[in-house]
Amino acid sequence: MKKYIGRMIQWGKKNIVILMYVLAAVFIEMVSVLAVENNPVITRPFIELGILGFIACLIGLVRKNKIRLGICIVLLLIQTILDLGFVIVYDMTGQYFDYGMLSLRNDAMGILESIPMNFIAFYASLFFCIVFIVFGLRAVRRNAVLEVKAKNRIISVVAGLIFLVCSVFAVKNNNSGTVDKYSKMINNSQGSNYTSMGIIGNVVNEFAKGIIYTDMEYMNSDKIDDFLYETVTEKSPKFGVSSDNNVIVMLVETFEWFSFIKSEEYPNGLDLTEEQIEYLFPNLTQFYNESVVMTNFHSREKTDISETLSILGSYPTDAYVDYDFEYNTLPQTVPNLMRTLVDENIQTRSFHNGFKSFYNREKTHKIFGFESLTDSYDMYDMADKMLAEGKIKETTMHDYLSKGERNLDSEMIETCKDVMFPTDKRFYTYITTITMHGIYYERDNLKEHMEKLRSVYTPKGTGEEAILMNYVSTVMEFDKALGVMMKDLEKKGLLDNTTIVMFGDHNCYYQQLSNYVKDIEDYDTKNYYTDLYKVPLMIYDKNLEHQEIDKFTCTADMVPTILDLLGIRTYENIYYGNSVFTSRESVLYSRAYGIFVGDGIVCRSLNNLLYVSDMVSKEYQQQFRTEAKELIDEIRYCDQVFYQDYFGDEKNYSTFIENMKKIQR
């Protein structure tokens, strides 16, 4: 026994550089996971340990300790950079890496303004790297050249292959097991991607899933039809009240209630009186008082997904509509249905004071049914043309984006209002704003708003408050844009027959402003954790009296709600949500974040609860579970619609149109 122990000690001394590398790599990975999950434990480290063992065995074939040390230092630095990169992505967006994100890489770089360095992960990883280098150099001085016998080389190669096979088997088990991803949405008891596999393990697994395990077993048309056309939506008490109206949908970037609503829910909001709020936000205040207000509306998505959900009403798993399905046929979108069932001559146009190439909007908005998408470049040309023709005395649209600032929403509305809101035809207009997009700092083009804010509010001087004030100034700019729109509609005589739907695409996660204002640090809180995702949804319509609806609603409810108001009946299983005017509550499934959200409930799967408020009853938990299971079925079949380009088949397209026309009679 002593003989074998002695050999092991001797082997350990010779291979101390490799052993230290493995330990340093494990510690760096655990620290990085700790920075994201507040827990360093990785429950299924088989992919990562297999790769690490394979690398260690390969390094063991090298005779010179100096070269071993150099290879290990390079590998540790690469791992540190990768881990820190994915930690930063999580800190910025709250998202774990998935393969589909590669489609968004150019867009992500386009919005990157500052990197919120995670100092815990950075300094801890740096510490382990330095410790490894110091002790590694000592080991090199003691043993410059090592004897690697032929037998030991064979053992290293065999051991390395065994480690590699274990890693491959772990990847295969994750992606091609007997349990499909829809069943995992119900039964998966594992933690987050990083807690389960580690950061590097998750990256390897996602690449394998995206490159190798991409095939989906397609259902036949009859089975899909039976599900899609199973149930017709019920008519709400507001069904058809807007049947003759124009429609304006406004996606308001990073829109939060706390900017212009005083409430105990926002303990760290600006201490403004009701009179001061009305002074700073006259148009939003009036709009709120004259609209149907969803006080319990939630969004937990990125802008591109929120935008698509509000137009299409569903979203695929493991893919992005903007890039993976840019050529699909989508007759179920609101603009396409309005053209098919309401008025074939209706004007359907979308507007964004960013760039049409961003999120591939220039292609996807065509399949959504928009005849055109007007972006900032188009708006600059429009303003120049109006100036040249003498219609305006000075430009209405400045190019602030090239100066590193956001374009102004009020300038977009002022420039495009005659195209957005025509008087000679019915219209469906979709507007995506940009001014309120983070990061928040004092902007020259918002100086007027900031001066107005400071005239009624004296700051206390904290860093978080400064960020909040900068954010509030962007909301004041949107208030100005809203005023331009409402006055133009009223002047043209369109206000009484136009339905305006205004919503926030997501909470203000930039600089963790939402967490700060709502005083929510983590899941361990007495507040409703789901309040973090609570954002505005308001519907203005002269046929609707002011009303506050406090049932749980989400972004997926918007399409069914708009169709309900327009008097268009449809099929429940084609859309993920329900009209806000029915009694039925929806469950939010977040494509970007891989979670289900209900009223006071957050879960990774139905058997893996992350948070349940003390206020949630057992009855509601059961209702949530039932609704979530039905949603998972809808996701399963809607995935088929997307991945097969189901309506791209002429027969399936005709069946959809015929069925939709049939249920309108």
Side-chain angles (χ1 to χ4, degrees):
M1 187 69 174
K2 287 183 179 179
K3 179 181 176 182
Y4 290 112
I5 293 174
R7 286 182 179 178
M8 289 177 64
I9 293 173
Q10 191 65 26
W11 179 88
K13 287 180 179 179
K14 288 182 179 179
N15 295 281
I16 188 67
V17 170
I18 298 175
L19 293 176
M20 287 192 304
Y21 160 70
V22 171
L23 283 175
V26 169
F27 284 134
I28 288 171
E29 186 71 7
M30 292 177 68
V31 165
S32 299
V33 172
L34 173 67
V36 173
E37 306 290 355
N38 297 322
N39 184 350
V41 177
I42 302 170
T43 58
R44 294 186 297 165
F46 310 113
I47 297 175
E48 192 151 355
L49 289 180
I51 293 171
L52 198 55
F54 174 70
I55 291 172
C57 290
L58 289 184
I59 297 172
L61 298 175
V62 178
R63 293 180 65 240
K64 292 186 178 180
N65 238 348
K66 233 181 231 187
I67 297 177
R68 284 185 176 186
L69 179 64
I71 293 171
C72 291
I73 290 172
V74 170
L75 290 173
L76 282 180
L77 290 175
I78 291 172
Q79 179 185 346
T80 299
I81 292 169
L82 286 174
D83 277 356
L84 282 176
F86 291 114
V87 169
I88 289 168
V89 167
Y90 184 87
D91 285 346
M92 288 179 65
T93 68
Q95 288 182 264
Y96 302 102
F97 172 78
D98 70 67
Y99 184 75
M101 282 184 177
L102 295 179
S103 298
L104 306 175
R105 60 190 180 276
N106 293 329
D107 295 339
M109 293 305 297
I111 62 173
L112 187 62
E113 291 189 32
S114 64
I115 298 177
M117 178 61 69
N118 189 300
F119 290 102
I120 295 176
F122 175 76
Y123 286 120
S125 298
L126 185 64
F127 170 77
F128 289 122
C129 287
I130 291 171
V131 168
F132 170 77
I133 292 171
V134 170
F135 283 93
L137 287 171
R138 292 177 62 183
V140 167
R141 283 196 295 269
R142 290 173 184 170
N143 295 291
V145 181
L146 301 170
E147 182 182 2
V148 183
K149 297 179 180 179
K151 182 177 73 172
N152 292 338
R153 289 181 182 178
I154 293 172
I155 292 173
S156 289
V157 170
V158 172
L161 290 175
I162 291 172
F163 278 117
L164 185 61
V165 168
C166 289
S167 185
V168 170
F169 180 79
V171 171
K172 184 177 180 182
N173 185 60
N174 283 337
N175 293 289
S176 59
T178 56
V179 181
D180 64 32
K181 61 183 174 183
Y182 310 105
S183 298
K184 287 180 180 178
M185 289 179 176
I186 299 174
N187 299 312
N188 186 20
S189 59
Q190 294 294 332
S192 73
N193 292 1
Y194 294 166
T195 298
S196 296
M197 294 177 279
I199 294 177
I200 300 299
N202 175 70
V203 171
V204 172
N205 186 70
E206 285 296 323
F207 270 92
K209 185 167 69 173
I211 297 172
I212 303 170
Y213 303 100
T214 56
D215 294 334
M216 174 177 285
E217 186 177 341
Y218 287 171
M219 299 179 187
N220 63 56
S221 295
D222 290 340
K223 187 174 182 181
I224 296 174
D225 284 350
D226 288 344
F227 182 81
L228 293 183
Y229 305 123
E230 181 180 25
T231 309
V232 179
T233 51
E234 63 177 284
K235 293 181 179 180
S236 80
K238 307 299 182 185
F239 180 81
V241 300
S242 310
S243 58
D244 297 324
N245 279 12
N246 303 303
V247 177
I248 299 171
V249 179
M250 302 187 76
L251 182 155
V252 187
E253 170 69 40
T254 322
F255 195 22
E256 288 267 22
W257 288 119
F258 58 69
S259 58
F260 73 102
I261 295 292
K262 188 176 179 66
S263 170
E264 293 180 357
E265 292 184 46
Y266 316 122
N268 294 326
L270 297 183
D271 188 18
L272 298 168
T273 66
E274 297 290 350
E275 291 74 18
Q276 289 171 335
I277 289 173
E278 188 170 353
Y279 168 69
L280 297 173
F281 306 100
N283 301 301
L284 276 169
T285 301
Q286 183 177 353
F287 194 90
Y288 180 97
N289 292 333
E290 296 178 358
S291 296
V292 177
V293 179
M294 269 50 69
T295 59
N296 203 14
F297 174 77
H298 297 73
S299 179
R300 179 58 170 157
E301 291 297 357
K302 303 292 287 180
T303 303
D304 57 323
I305 299 178
S306 289
E307 186 176 271
T308 299
L309 271 174
S310 67
I311 298 167
L312 179 59
S314 61
Y315 208 90
T317 58
D318 299 330
Y320 290 89
V321 173
D322 316 65
Y323 295 94
D324 299 299
F325 306 116
E326 59 187 291
Y327 300 110
N328 276 27
T329 300
L330 302 172
Q332 71 272 40
T333 65
V334 176
N336 279 329
L337 282 178
M338 290 188 74
R339 279 181 165 177
T340 303
L341 302 174
V342 177
D343 183 351
E344 63 180 8
N345 296 314
I346 189 172
Q347 173 183 290
T348 57
R349 299 188 65 164
S350 60
F351 299 82
H352 177 47
N353 48 343
F355 305 125
K356 64 179 66 176
S357 59
F358 207 79
Y359 290 138
N360 206 22
R361 285 186 176 101
E362 59 190 329
K363 291 184 179 177
T364 50
H365 277 228
K366 289 180 181 177
I367 64 172
F368 290 162
F370 294 107
E371 56 197 69
S372 67
L373 164 61
T374 302
D375 74 347
S376 286
Y377 290 127
D378 299 319
M379 295 174 194
Y380 304 147
D381 291 341
M382 291 168 66
D384 289 344
K385 184 179 179 181
M386 288 189 290
L387 190 62
E389 293 175 350
K391 294 180 180 179
I392 53 177
K393 294 182 179 180
E394 57 183 0
T395 186
T396 55
M397 191 73 192
H398 295 84
D399 179 9
Y400 292 110
L401 290 176
S402 65
K403 300 175 183 177
E405 298 191 5
R406 303 298 180 197
N407 279 344
L408 297 182
D409 297 334
S410 62
E411 291 192 347
M412 169 175 61
I413 304 292
E414 187 66 53
T415 302
C416 302
K417 59 188 179 184
D418 288 337
V419 185
M420 287 177 168
F421 323 122
T423 57
D424 60 340
K425 62 184 77 172
R426 190 171 183 180
F427 59 85
Y428 171 90
T429 296
Y430 195 100
I431 302 169
T432 301
T433 71
I434 201 173
T435 304
M436 289 157 63
H437 197 297
I439 303 293
Y440 302 110
Y441 53 88
E442 286 208 38
R443 301 174 185 170
D444 288 339
N445 59 358
L446 297 174
K447 184 181 291 186
E448 176 187 344
H449 299 303
M450 182 59 78
E451 289 175 354
K452 185 176 180 180
L453 174 59
R454 285 179 173 150
S455 72
V456 298
Y457 181 78
T458 302
K460 301 178 180 66
T462 64
E464 293 86 356
E465 184 190 44
I467 295 170
L468 176 57
M469 289 182 67
N470 290 326
Y471 170 73
V472 169
S473 70
T474 69
V475 185
M476 292 170 66
E477 163 56 26
F478 174 72
D479 182 87
K480 180 180 178 181
L482 178 61
V484 173
M485 182 182 77
M486 299 300 281
K487 287 173 185 174
D488 186 66
L489 290 170
E490 188 171 24
K491 179 182 177 182
K492 293 174 178 175
L494 296 171
L495 194 56
D496 288 354
N497 65 326
T498 299
T499 302
I500 305 169
V501 182
M502 179 195 300
F503 75 105
D505 58 342
H506 50 67
N507 71 306
C508 191
Y509 56 77
Y510 304 102
Q511 295 144 291
Q512 294 192 320
L513 186 58
S514 189
N515 296 68
Y516 164 69
V517 175
K518 298 174 185 179
D519 199 23
I520 298 174
E521 295 299 325
D522 208 338
Y523 295 120
D524 184 19
T525 171
K526 293 181 181 179
N527 297 311
Y528 293 160
Y529 185 76
T530 46
D531 281 358
L532 192 58
Y533 317 132
K534 188 187 293 185
V535 294
L537 169 60
M538 295 179 278
I539 301 174
Y540 177 92
D541 191 309
K542 284 291 186 180
N543 298 314
L544 298 172
E545 295 181 355
H546 172 71
Q547 175 188 4
E548 294 187 4
I549 297 176
D550 62 0
K551 75 167 186 173
F552 181 88
T553 51
C554 62
T555 317
D557 293 329
M558 291 186 59
V559 168
T561 300
I562 293 170
L563 296 178
D564 184 38
L565 290 173
L566 291 172
I568 298 175
R569 300 200 74 184
T570 185
Y571 294 93
E572 282 188 4
N573 292 337
I574 291 176
Y575 305 107
Y576 292 168
N578 304 283
S579 171
V580 300
F581 298 107
T582 64
S583 59
R584 187 171 179 181
E585 289 192 5
S586 300
V587 169
L588 183 159
Y589 173 68
S590 173
R591 156 66 182 94
Y593 300 93
I595 57 174
F596 293 89
V597 180
D599 197 357
I601 298 178
V602 181
C603 61
R604 204 172 303 284
S605 75
L606 303 192
N607 290 339
N608 189 0
L609 294 174
L610 299 177
Y611 172 76
V612 180
S613 166
D614 295 337
M615 305 294 289
V616 174
S617 66
K618 295 292 184 183
E619 291 76 16
Y620 178 75
Q621 288 189 49
Q622 184 57 48
Q623 175 191 333
F624 170 82
R625 188 177 179 83
T626 300
E627 296 285 353
K629 283 184 175 179
E630 292 182 11
L631 173 59
I632 291 169
D633 281 339
E634 292 172 354
I635 293 171
R636 182 193 301 270
Y637 281 88
C638 283
D639 269 358
Q640 293 288 327
V641 170
F642 284 109
Y643 281 88
Q644 289 192 39
D645 187 14
Y646 188 72
F647 295 122
D649 181 280
E650 188 175 341
K651 178 180 176 294
N652 296 332
Y653 178 86
S654 298
T655 299
F656 174 79
I657 299 300
E658 289 170 9
N659 285 343
M660 287 299 295
K661 288 181 177 179
K662 188 185 300 180
I663 61 176
Q664 309 310 317
R665 297 169 189 155

